[in-house]
Amino acid sequence: MRRLWRNKSIRQLLAGLLALLVWQVLSLLLGSPLLLPGPAAVLGRLFALLLTGDFWQRVGFSLLRVGLGFGLGLVLGLVLGLLGGRFPLIQTLLWPYVAAMQAVPVASFIILSLLFLSAGQLPVLICFFVVFPPVYENVVQGVRSTSIELLEMGRVFGFSWWRRLQYLYLPTLKPFLLSACTVGVGMACKAGVAAEVIAVAAGSVGESLYEAKLYLLSEDLLAWTVAIVIFSRLLQRLLQGLMQAAFALWEGR
Amino acid sequence: MDIRLENLSKTYGTVPALSPLSLTIEKGERVCLVGPSGCGKTTLVRLLLGLIEPTTGTITGLPEKVSAVFQENRLCPDFSLLTNVLLGDRKATKEAALELLLRLGLQEAARQKAATLSGGMARRAALARCLVREADLYLLDEPFSGLDEATKLAAMDTLRTYTKGKTVLLVTHDKREAAYLSCRTVTLTKPVVEKNL
């Protein structure tokens, strides 16, 4: 028993089970499935949802938009971060936009953007808005911390910019990029669904959340929430795995 | 074309790093730079590499294609030894790189990540990267430091073979190295710090 307790994942699993128990007890004490349905009811509802085609269509719709926005944020953050890290003038010119993206509440962006974007397009932009700043900032920092000694070596050996990027900058950026992407995916999932809820994007996960709230379907609300959390974690793991595999492949050549 | 250094000196703030130096290195000549620590050998190499600007004086006749072994190894730690050697010259072939590794006794470590190489292996890797480059001037800052006698001999031999007919400037502490490589020896003296009394 003591040996089991020493295992961190087992401890975490037990704590998780305890939390589920607390949830169940709270739900029984409140005595109203409308206010707080118990975990068993929510998981039951989630399994029922998993069996419907509508669920997967909505998940596909939302993941596509989160993925697009994330990809856009990652690519632009990487390119502009490389430029900003290398040329201080570009970093100076960009700072007002990056600072605004970081400071303005996501809800304000969503409502403002709704004036000129359709409900289907909105999540893409919002995901981009939350992913771009951390990726950009991390890449700038990574470029700045690239070894001067190695950069001098590249200069003496006549490295092209592409070679410098491949062999000097990217290896330094690796940990920065990995952490920025992991944080970014989680934020993109949350902000993307928030945008869908506010815009009531037809056929999205956010629309289901909105309807569950409208018709007081608490079980549905929580079941969808659990689904979002699970998909967000899966995406994080998938992305981490892909990036690590890509780096390993590249370095092993 | 000969390389001419005229009244070349370098000062960092008020600290002199290289006393005024005039020197001509003929094309195809091998020059060994000796002198005590702090006499400006590495500073001179960095000036010739164009990594720092001189405080006074000029350098003329520097060829376009230069190769170097830095005082530090400066390998890309995440990449294999072979990849690091190939980074020395875009035109370098894998065969040429492997041949060099064989001569330097590194063939078995070709696929090993640079970060995992021992000090002596990393030093030889830096030398291999320098020699794989088809350059007109080779600047080597203590390329044999940290090597044992046997590997040092092989490394000096390889250096001699690969730089035949090329201009070489070698920084060393060891007069035997200068003799073995049949260099013209140039001795630098430590710059004097002027004191305001």
Side-chain angles (χ1 to χ4, degrees):
Chain A
M1 192 62 200
R2 205 172 254 179
R3 194 187 295 166
L4 276 181
W5 187 245
R6 269 196 215 126
N7 187 324
K8 194 184 166 199
S9 13
I10 289 183
R11 278 206 310 268
Q12 284 179 331
L13 184 73
L14 288 174
L17 287 174
L18 184 68
L20 281 179
L21 192 69
V22 170
W23 176 5
Q24 184 70 56
V25 170
L26 271 179
S27 143
L28 285 174
L29 283 177
L30 282 170
S32 158
L34 192 69
L35 281 179
L36 184 64
V42 170
L43 285 182
R45 183 67 193 123
L46 179 60
F47 280 116
L49 280 175
L50 284 176
L51 297 176
T52 62
D54 179 62
F55 174 86
W56 293 104
Q57 267 176 7
R58 283 174 190 275
V59 168
F61 178 99
S62 297
L63 281 185
L64 178 70
R65 280 154 182 79
V66 167
L68 272 177
F70 175 82
L72 211 62
L74 179 64
V75 171
L76 268 178
L78 187 60
V79 172
L80 291 177
L82 284 168
L83 291 172
R86 182 78 181 70
F87 307 106
L89 178 67
I90 294 186
Q91 195 197 10
T92 309
L93 287 175
L94 283 177
W95 89 259
Y97 310 99
V98 180
M101 284 163 106
Q102 283 168 326
V104 175
V106 178
S108 307
F109 268 131
I110 297 174
I111 294 164
L112 271 173
S113 315
L114 259 180
L115 298 175
F116 53 91
L117 282 183
S118 76
Q121 295 164 331
L122 181 72
V124 179
L125 182 76
I126 297 306
C127 287
F128 166 75
F129 264 89
V130 296
V131 170
F132 175 79
V135 172
Y136 170 82
E137 296 276 357
N138 272 285
V139 171
V140 167
Q141 221 187 327
V143 170
R144 290 274 156 82
S145 54
T146 302
S147 148
I148 292 171
E149 291 192 347
L150 283 185
L151 289 172
E152 280 182 356
M153 182 276 290
R155 210 173 122 189
V156 168
F157 285 97
F159 278 24
S160 61
W161 71 269
W162 177 236
R163 260 195 173 199
R164 278 205 303 274
L165 178 68
Q166 286 176 298
Y167 292 98
L168 308 181
Y169 288 121
L170 274 185
T172 316
L173 285 177
K174 184 167 89 171
F176 291 96
L177 265 183
L178 277 174
S179 76
C181 285
T182 314
V183 175
V185 161
M187 296 204 314
C189 286
K190 285 181 204 163
V193 171
E196 288 173 354
V197 171
I198 297 179
V200 199
S204 71
V205 171
E207 188 196 31
S208 296
L209 274 181
Y210 178 76
E211 282 174 356
K213 175 221 147 206
L214 202 63
Y215 301 117
L216 300 175
L217 304 169
S218 302
E219 277 175 22
D220 277 44
L221 188 66
L222 287 174
W224 277 108
T225 306
V226 171
I228 295 164
V229 171
I230 291 173
F231 278 106
S232 158
R233 289 296 289 180
L234 283 178
L235 269 184
Q236 276 184 346
R237 287 283 162 88
L238 181 74
L239 192 75
Q240 269 180 331
L242 278 178
M243 287 182 72
Q244 263 157 354
F247 272 114
L249 200 70
W250 165 237
E251 285 162 5
R253 285 184 341 145
Chain B
M1 202 166 149
D2 297 348
I3 302 167
R4 280 175 204 283
L5 319 179
E6 273 169 59
N7 197 31
L8 194 69
S9 80
K10 179 73 187 174
T11 309
Y12 291 105
T14 55
V15 184
L18 177 71
S19 303
L21 172 75
S22 294
L23 176 70
T24 303
I25 303 170
E26 283 172 25
K27 194 175 176 225
E29 191 183 19
R30 264 196 214 130
V31 173
C32 278
L33 213 53
V34 294
S37 297
C39 68
K41 302 186 296 279
T42 296
T43 303
L44 179 56
V45 170
R46 289 176 63 75
L47 282 165
L48 287 166
L49 286 173
L51 297 174
I52 47 173
E53 291 294 318
T55 308
T56 65
T58 53
I59 305 173
T60 50
L62 262 186
E64 209 162 281
K65 211 166 170 189
V66 177
S67 190
V69 172
F70 295 89
Q71 197 175 33
E72 315 80 14
N73 296 320
R74 304 198 185 189
L75 301 173
C76 297
D78 298 311
F79 295 90
S80 73
L81 168 53
L82 181 63
T83 304
N84 267 285
V85 173
L86 286 170
L87 285 178
D89 198 324
R90 215 172 337 158
K91 290 182 200 136
T93 62
K94 213 183 223 179
E95 289 71 33
L98 286 170
E99 163 77 21
L100 254 167
L101 292 184
L102 185 71
R103 280 168 173 271
L104 294 167
L106 287 170
Q107 70 279 19
E108 276 170 20
R111 297 266 159 217
Q112 212 172 310
K113 258 193 184 192
T116 66
L117 296 173
S118 72
M121 286 165 107
R123 199 65 193 143
R124 280 176 283 158
L127 179 62
R129 179 181 62 194
C130 167
L131 294 181
V132 88
R133 188 169 173 83
E134 288 267 353
D136 302 307
L137 170 65
Y138 291 85
L139 295 164
L140 306 111
D141 198 345
E142 300 190 35
F144 312 119
S145 64
L147 301 187
D148 60 57
E149 281 306 311
T151 39
K152 191 191 262 189
L153 273 177
M156 286 198 287
D157 228 32
T158 312
L159 173 64
R160 209 157 55 168
T161 313
Y162 274 74
T163 58
K164 204 162 262 175
K166 303 283 176 62
T167 314
V168 176
L169 184 86
L170 179 91
V171 172
T172 178
H173 277 299
D174 190 342
K175 295 227 161 120
R176 285 176 310 156
E177 281 175 21
Y180 189 86
L181 292 164
S182 47
C183 295
R184 168 160 73 99
T185 305
V186 173
T187 309
L188 292 187
T189 50
K190 212 165 176 167
V192 182
V193 184
E194 284 175 35
K195 284 184 186 154
N196 294 323
L197 292 173

